[in-house]
Amino acid sequence: MKLEQIRQAIEVYNAGSINRAAQGLYLAQSSLSASIKSLERELGHDIFIRTPSGISLTDFGAEFIAHGREILRHMDAIEQSACI
C-alpha cells in the first residue's frame, strides 16, 4: 500500500465517484480505477461498492477511510515539523 493510494481512495470517497475524483486528481479514470482495485486486492477487501450512480463505502471501507485520514493528518504534522 502506498500513501498515494490512500490519498486517492479518500479523494474518491470525497468526490462520490471515481470519475469525479480522477478529474480532480488530473488522472485518467482508468488509471485511478486500476490503482484503487490494486489497493483492494492487496488489502483483501473492497473499499467501495460501485454502482452506476456512484460509490458507497463497505464496512471495511469506512474503517479504511477513517484510518487513512488519520495517516494523512500525521503525515501533514511530520511535514510541518520538517519545515520548522
Side-chain angles (χ1 to χ4, degrees):
M1 174 179 9
K2 297 177 181 156
L3 190 58
E4 188 58 28
Q5 288 174 303
I6 296 170
R7 283 189 176 107
Q8 290 171 347
I10 291 169
E11 183 60 28
V12 168
Y13 172 69
N14 289 340
S17 81
I18 292 174
N19 191 41
R20 282 192 298 267
Q23 292 171 359
L25 293 168
Y26 302 102
L27 293 172
Q29 183 273 334
S30 58
S31 296
L32 179 56
S33 185
S35 179
I36 297 296
K37 276 292 194 191
S38 175
L39 175 61
E40 290 174 323
R41 275 192 306 276
E42 181 180 346
L43 295 170
H45 293 279
D46 287 342
I47 297 169
F48 300 107
I49 299 168
R50 293 152 177 85
T51 66
S53 60
I55 55 95
S56 60
L57 292 174
T58 63
D59 290 339
F60 173 80
E63 287 185 50
F64 179 86
I65 295 297
H67 290 300
R69 285 179 170 161
E70 282 298 310
I71 289 167
L72 293 183
R73 275 194 279 275
H74 289 291
M75 290 300 299
D76 287 344
I78 290 168
E79 289 171 355
Q80 289 295 320
S81 295
C83 292
I84 294 175

